Amino acid sequence: MISIQRLEEILKKFNKIKIAVIGDMMLDEYLIGKVNRISPEAPVPVVNIEEERFVLGGASNVANNLKSLEGQVRVYGVIGEDDNGKKFTSELEAKGIESDGIVVDDSRPTIIKSRVLSQGQQLLRLDWEKDTNISKEIQEALIKKVERDIDEIDAILLSDYNKGVLTKYVSESIIKIAKEHNKKIVVDPKPHNFKNYVGVTTMTPNRKEILDYFGLNKFNSEEEVANAMKQLKKDLQLDCVVLTRSEEGFSLYDGNYERVPTVAREVFDVTGAGDTFISTLLLSLSAGASLYEAGVIANMASGIVVAKIGTATATKEEILEFYHNELK
C-alpha cells in the first residue's frame, strides 16, 4: 500500500501539471422533481420539476475531474452553434477550464443528455447527438489547435465516447504529435476503436470493453485476464495496460501482471467513475507516481465518486480523507 507521506507528495504536485483533454464533449442536464401521481394520458409518472442543473459530461467530465483535483486543463473537441453550445462554454468558464481548443461545427448539435430524476432515482434519459465522424475540415482544425499548444502541455488524455470526434485520422495525428514532443498520452477507449490508439502510453478499458475487443463473453481465471492484457499491450504497442474492474478493483500489466482489489464501499451511482479513474491516473503518473501508485490513487478517487449521485468528481482533500477513513 502507498504511504500517507508518498500520497501527499504526489497530490501536492497536481496543481503544476497541464493536461490536454481531447474527445467527445457533452453537457449533462439533470431535471429533478417529485412524483405524486400517474399521468392520465399514459401509464407513466408525472414529474413536477423543482430543479434544473447542467454539468459537464463526456470528455468534459474528464476535464472537470482534473480541475477538481487542481490540475491545469485545456479541452479540445467539437460543439454545435446552438444554445446548448453556449451553455457548455459557460460551464467551462465557470470551472476555469481553458476552452480555446473547442471547434464550433454548425452542422452538428452540441451533445446533451437530459436525465429526469425523482427521490434519487433516474426515471428517464433523453439524448440529443450526432455520432457520425466530424468532417475532414473540422478534424484538421482540431489537430492544428493541439499542435499550436503542445509545448504548453505536459500530457494528453483522449476520452473516446464514440461520438465521431476521435476519428482514426485525428487519433493517429495526435499520437504522432505527442510522441514527437515526448508527452505521455493515455486513452479511455471504445472497443471497436482500440486499433486507432497504437503507440499510446496506456489505456484504461473496463472488463466489458476488453472482452468485446477479444470477442469473449467472460474471463474464467486471473490467468486469462493477464493473458488478454499482455496481448492487448502487444497488439497496440502500449507501455502498459490498466484494466478497471468495478467492484473488483483494477489490474495492471506492464510486463508483469498485478491485481489490486477495491475497498468495499456503498455504491450509489457509477456514472463517470471511469472518467475519475483515468483523470487521477494521468495526473498521478505526471506527478512522478509509479504505475502501481497511480492506480491505487485513481482507485481511491473512483471509490469516492461512486458514493455520490450523478456525474461527480473527487478532490485531493477527499482522497486524503478516504485514505485515513477507509484504508489506514
Side-chain angles (χ1 to χ4, degrees), residues 127-292:
D127 292 2
W128 285 265
E129 65 183 35
K130 185 176 180 181
D131 61 4
T132 54
N133 285 349
I134 56 175
S135 69
K136 193 63 183 290
E137 180 185 357
I138 298 294
Q139 292 181 59
E140 293 288 1
L142 197 58
I143 292 163
K144 283 179 182 175
K145 284 179 179 285
V146 176
E147 276 184 310
R148 176 196 68 191
D149 299 335
I150 191 65
D151 289 332
E152 299 173 27
I153 294 166
D154 294 318
I156 294 173
L157 196 160
L158 302 180
S159 180
D160 183 2
Y161 279 79
N162 202 34
K163 302 302 179 187
V165 170
L166 288 173
T167 64
K168 184 176 177 62
Y169 177 67
V170 168
S171 302
E172 290 178 348
S173 298
I174 289 169
I175 292 166
K176 185 173 181 237
I177 293 166
K179 285 182 164 294
E180 286 172 350
H181 291 82
N182 198 29
K183 310 290 183 182
K184 284 187 175 67
I185 180 165
V186 305
V187 57
D188 188 3
K190 288 294 182 235
H192 59 274
N193 293 338
F194 273 32
K195 291 187 177 176
N196 291 356
Y197 303 115
V198 172
V200 299
T201 308
T202 189
M203 60 168 55
T204 61
N206 61 33
R207 182 169 41 194
K208 182 180 184 306
E209 288 165 344
I210 199 169
L211 285 168
D212 287 352
Y213 173 74
F214 286 109
L216 302 172
N217 292 319
K218 65 176 182 176
F219 292 120
N220 294 306
S221 67
E222 283 300 308
E223 184 180 6
E224 287 188 5
V225 176
N227 287 337
M229 294 176 72
K230 180 180 180 180
Q231 189 61 49
L232 183 64
K233 179 180 182 295
K234 181 181 177 182
D235 287 354
L236 303 184
Q237 301 166 37
L238 310 173
D239 290 356
C240 53
V241 181
V242 182
L243 176 66
T244 60
R245 302 177 62 168
S246 191
E247 72 281 355
E248 294 180 357
F250 66 98
S251 294
L252 309 172
Y253 187 83
D254 59 359
N256 295 304
Y257 175 75
E258 186 167 7
R259 179 184 167 189
V260 183
T262 194
V263 176
R265 211 175 194 213
E266 190 169 6
V267 175
F268 288 99
D269 193 339
V270 298
T271 305
D275 293 341
T276 301
F277 186 94
I278 194 171
S279 302
T280 316
L281 182 84
L282 181 53
L283 272 176
S284 300
L285 289 171
S286 300
S290 68
L291 182 62
Y292 172 80

Side-chain angles (χ1 to χ4, degrees), residues 24-30 52-61 78-79 82-92 95 109-115 125-129 311:
D24 301 296
M25 301 294 158
M26 306 179 197
L27 193 61
D28 287 338
E29 179 185 36
Y30 290 89
E52 179 184 26
R53 59 188 176 92
F54 293 95
V55 179
L56 295 170
S60 54
N61 181 50
V78 179
I79 60 172
D82 50 28
D83 288 340
N84 288 329
K86 292 172 186 173
K87 289 173 186 172
F88 176 80
T89 52
S90 293
E91 288 297 318
L92 290 178
K95 297 288 184 182
T110 300
I111 297 175
I112 183 166
K113 297 180 182 293
S114 294
R115 297 169 175 88
R125 195 178 96 178
L126 306 169
D127 292 2
W128 285 265
E129 65 183 35
T311 307

Side-chain angles (χ1 to χ4, degrees), residues 7-25:
L7 177 60
E8 289 174 342
E9 179 186 338
I10 293 165
L11 294 178
K12 197 176 291 183
K13 295 178 182 175
F14 281 10
N15 63 358
K16 295 181 174 66
I17 297 163
K18 299 173 183 174
I19 305 290
V21 177
I22 307 165
D24 301 296
M25 301 294 158

